[in-house]
Amino acid sequence: MGEAIVVTSGKGGVGKTTTTANIGTALALLGKKVCLIDTDIGLRNLDVVMGLENRIIFDLVDVVQERVKTRQALVPDKRFDCLQLLPAAQTSDKSEVTPEAMKRIVAELKQEFDYILIDCPAGIEQGYKNAVAGADKAIVVTNPEKSSVRDADRIIGLLEQEDIEPPKLIVNRIRHHMVESGDMLDVDEIVSVLSIDLLGVVADDDEVIKASNSGEPVALHPNTKSSLAYRNIARRILGESVPLLSFEEKKGLMTKVKKFFGMRP
Amino acid sequence: MIANQQLITVKGTREGLILKIDDHCAYQDVLNELKEKLSVNDLIEDDRLITVNLQLGNRYVTLEQKDELKEVVRKSQNLVVGKVESNVITKEEAAEWKRHAQVKPLVKVVRSGQVINVEGDMLLIGDVNPGGKIMASGNIFVMGSLRGIAHAGVDGDRHVVIAASFMQPTQLRIADAISRAPDQDAEGVYMECGYLEEGNDKILIDRLQEVIKKRPDISSFERRMFNG
């Protein structure tokens, strides 16, 4: 019996889809059977980020309306056998899916997969209610800016009313130099306002955008910090305790020596 | 009942007149005698306004009866009604007093979009985040950070206070007064308390210790019973 995790944020554009794709890929790398569900009916993106757009034949709405079996609509990933995607419909409307139908589909998929990651649309309306309906756990993604934290707070309040475990937080797109100069909220501040457990911190990284555009999630290649961050998040989901990555920039030998002697670098 | 027995005793004090009303006779008799007494009463010759307090003893009067009594007093010139006091209240009123006088403890984080409303005092153990709102008919005490909106004295009590371990509210409201945070980024302050200045509609924020001096009766039950 697997578990279903919804990835949500309230605000749009904070990186829900990217996070879903990368955590899913990282979990698959660790050998877990993973199913990704895109619930953003009408504005599907997850298939594009995963590079699976041209393989879609059936979608979530077909499954909801029982035109096909759930199994038939799943799109297998081109890299991992254990990773599958249930894509959203591009031509329908969010009202075509009901929370009850989502519960049924997720329960069915839980029999077969270890993890079901549900990519939630922005907002707190029908789409959100559908996405949350079948979930056991929730991950809230936020950016280090006030409006995003405000919406995350609202979403956490709504999630508390659902029958799921307390949500975990991912702070996405942090820019170390801006935090240091005091122009960006730092992680501690965000965690203290939202008062939920931190699951991970992902730095703002050009590679993420490049990877999304090429349909290859950044977590596939271990050579960037953001990739490591996503892999660490996946390991934390599995229950390992992995320390947070440090954001310190590479420093020259001299600064290290100076620091060692307690001098100002 | 002896007809010529006085049902209403008039007593003059420095604050005004006290009408002590017998609590054993019928209400109608009281009303009649009150009308009679006040119409005969020509003793007052100057134009000074005189406050009249009615003491009902152990008599229970309904709201309509209370208004009726007040109306009778008001009809005669230069008399104004002060308090109408009775030793008796209904069970409902007593329950209402109790609700307004108790402290309601809550353990939670009030998040954006959430509104919490309590009767009486609120003791919140947790934070109020920006966009969240807490309301109480009495005082508000937040053991945590107050970053949202707090409204104390919702029913109009102006003597209430809002205290927080960490005070960085978007708005403070006491009764009908509103104050908001300054437009530039204001740093929060620890252990502070907001209250309404006497004779002014401004909400002041001061150290908790200072406010205790100004509102020594915060915790007393009687205060709420008589303001209730």
Side-chain angles (χ1 to χ4, degrees):
Chain A
M1 193 70 174
E3 60 183 28
I5 306 173
V6 60
V7 180
T8 182
S9 70
K11 194 172 178 297
V14 296
K16 287 180 294 296
T17 302
T18 312
T19 304
T20 311
N22 280 296
I23 294 177
T25 305
L27 282 169
L29 269 169
L30 292 163
K32 298 289 164 191
K33 291 194 80 180
V34 184
C35 180
L36 309 177
I37 306 181
D38 190 351
T39 58
D40 202 349
I41 314 289
L43 292 166
R44 72 174 180 209
N45 289 144
L46 189 54
D47 52 318
V48 180
V49 175
M50 295 296 294
L52 301 172
E53 193 180 11
N54 51 11
R55 298 173 188 224
I56 296 173
I57 299 164
F58 299 113
D59 55 46
L60 182 61
V61 172
D62 291 324
V63 178
V64 169
Q65 294 177 346
E66 299 187 10
R67 280 196 285 268
V68 292
K69 294 215 170 67
T70 312
R71 190 86 225 106
Q72 286 174 284
L74 294 180
V75 181
D77 186 69
K78 46 189 172 187
R79 293 145 295 231
F80 303 99
D81 290 336
C82 55
L83 181 61
Q84 310 243 354
L85 169 72
L86 179 55
Q90 186 68 312
T91 48
S92 305
D93 185 76
K94 289 189 171 63
S95 57
E96 307 264 337
V97 182
T98 59
E100 291 72 36
M102 278 305 291
K103 268 185 201 163
R104 177 174 61 80
I105 294 165
V106 171
E108 198 184 329
L109 289 169
K110 273 204 280 194
Q111 308 290 335
E112 199 176 332
F113 292 92
D114 298 324
Y115 289 95
I116 292 120
L117 295 180
I118 305 163
D119 184 21
C120 179
I124 52 174
E125 297 87 20
Q126 185 69 41
Y128 159 81
K129 284 173 191 150
N130 290 339
V132 171
D136 309 309
K137 292 183 176 180
I139 292 175
V140 174
V141 183
T142 187
N143 288 165
E145 39 182 275
K146 273 190 174 175
S147 55
S148 170
V149 173
R150 199 79 90 242
D151 288 0
D153 191 43
R154 178 92 174 96
I155 270 295
I156 295 165
L158 292 173
L159 286 168
E160 280 169 354
Q161 292 163 18
E162 303 286 334
D163 185 24
I164 55 176
E165 285 181 32
K168 300 260 167 65
L169 183 70
I170 291 178
V171 181
N172 197 15
R173 288 212 192 120
I174 201 134
R175 292 191 204 172
H176 185 60
H177 64 277
M178 282 187 79
V179 172
E180 214 158 54
S181 63
D183 295 325
M184 193 178 248
L185 300 174
D186 68 18
V187 176
D188 289 343
E189 210 173 323
I190 296 168
V191 172
S192 100
V193 169
L194 298 179
S195 55
I196 59 172
D197 291 343
L198 185 65
L199 187 62
V201 179
V202 183
D204 195 26
D205 192 345
D206 295 348
E207 291 300 321
V208 177
I209 299 167
K210 253 199 248 171
S212 287
N213 286 338
S214 62
E216 296 258 311
V218 74
L220 277 175
H221 310 291
N223 47 3
T224 60
K225 278 214 155 160
S226 48
S227 164
L228 282 178
Y230 283 122
R231 289 179 178 205
N232 285 347
I233 289 170
R235 285 165 65 192
R236 288 187 198 108
I237 290 175
L238 296 183
E240 285 179 51
S241 90
V242 188
L244 284 178
L245 288 177
S246 77
F247 280 106
E248 277 182 36
E249 302 294 322
K250 287 186 190 112
K251 285 181 183 138
L253 180 66
M254 271 317 281
T255 46
K256 277 186 187 163
V257 173
K258 278 181 183 170
K259 207 177 175 186
F260 182 75
F261 287 112
M263 286 194 282
R264 204 177 279 245
Chain B
M1 182 71 55
I2 309 155
N4 59 4
Q5 192 190 337
Q6 285 226 331
L7 299 179
I8 299 174
T9 335
V10 184
K11 220 166 130 189
T13 65
R14 199 183 291 171
E15 283 81 38
L17 292 177
I18 295 176
L19 300 189
K20 252 193 166 159
I21 297 170
D22 186 89
D23 51 17
H24 282 67
C25 61
Y27 171 74
Q28 201 53 47
D29 294 342
V30 172
L31 204 62
N32 291 341
E33 181 157 340
L34 190 64
K35 279 179 188 162
E36 198 181 317
K37 266 231 158 71
L38 292 177
S39 61
V40 178
N41 205 339
D42 288 332
L43 298 172
I44 310 140
E45 272 154 13
D46 50 4
D47 290 335
R48 243 174 357 114
L49 284 178
I50 295 171
T51 316
V52 177
N53 291 328
L54 298 175
Q55 288 185 354
L56 301 170
N58 292 335
R59 175 191 296 276
Y60 176 74
V61 290
T62 62
L63 264 180
E64 292 82 51
Q65 290 173 332
K66 211 176 199 175
D67 287 342
E68 206 172 4
L69 289 173
K70 282 182 181 173
E71 201 49 53
V72 173
V73 176
R74 277 200 206 99
K75 262 187 193 151
S76 58
Q77 285 176 348
N78 58 28
L79 287 188
V80 282
V81 189
K83 277 188 245 169
V84 181
E85 281 178 51
S86 166
N87 295 338
V88 203
I89 57 165
T90 61
K91 279 183 185 171
E92 276 163 42
E93 283 168 328
E96 173 121 357
W97 264 356
K98 185 169 175 292
R99 271 208 304 282
H100 279 284
Q102 71 192 358
V103 179
K104 169 110 177 130
L106 281 167
V107 184
K108 74 173 283 169
V109 178
V110 181
R111 300 185 181 275
S112 177
Q114 296 177 332
V115 180
I116 308 279
N117 195 350
V118 304
E119 276 183 275
D121 290 356
M122 179 192 290
L123 173 62
L124 179 72
I125 300 161
D127 299 341
V128 182
N129 281 350
K133 189 177 180 186
I134 51 175
M135 295 154 81
S137 63
N139 301 294
I140 290 177
F141 310 106
V142 180
M143 292 187 68
S145 306
L146 174 54
R147 298 194 183 93
I149 299 176
H151 190 175
V154 171
D155 300 334
D157 189 351
R158 302 170 66 86
H159 267 77
V160 295
V161 300
I162 300 170
S165 311
F166 182 72
M167 188 75 106
Q168 197 185 13
T170 37
Q171 271 185 20
L172 286 185
R173 302 182 186 174
I174 293 178
D176 48 4
I178 298 179
S179 81
R180 64 168 173 80
D183 284 329
Q184 60 272 34
D185 243 0
E187 290 280 304
V189 281
Y190 286 94
M191 302 297 281
E192 301 245 323
C193 187
Y195 62 99
L196 261 184
E197 198 183 20
E198 293 302 334
N200 195 339
D201 265 355
K202 260 196 171 152
I203 297 175
L204 301 183
I205 295 183
D206 210 337
R207 286 172 58 230
L208 217 52
Q209 291 84 341
E210 294 302 313
V211 177
I212 291 166
K213 287 177 203 157
K214 292 201 171 87
R215 297 274 190 279
D217 53 355
I218 276 179
S219 63
S220 75
F221 181 68
E222 286 76 17
R223 172 184 71 83
R224 269 162 257 156
M225 265 181 64
F226 292 120
N227 288 344

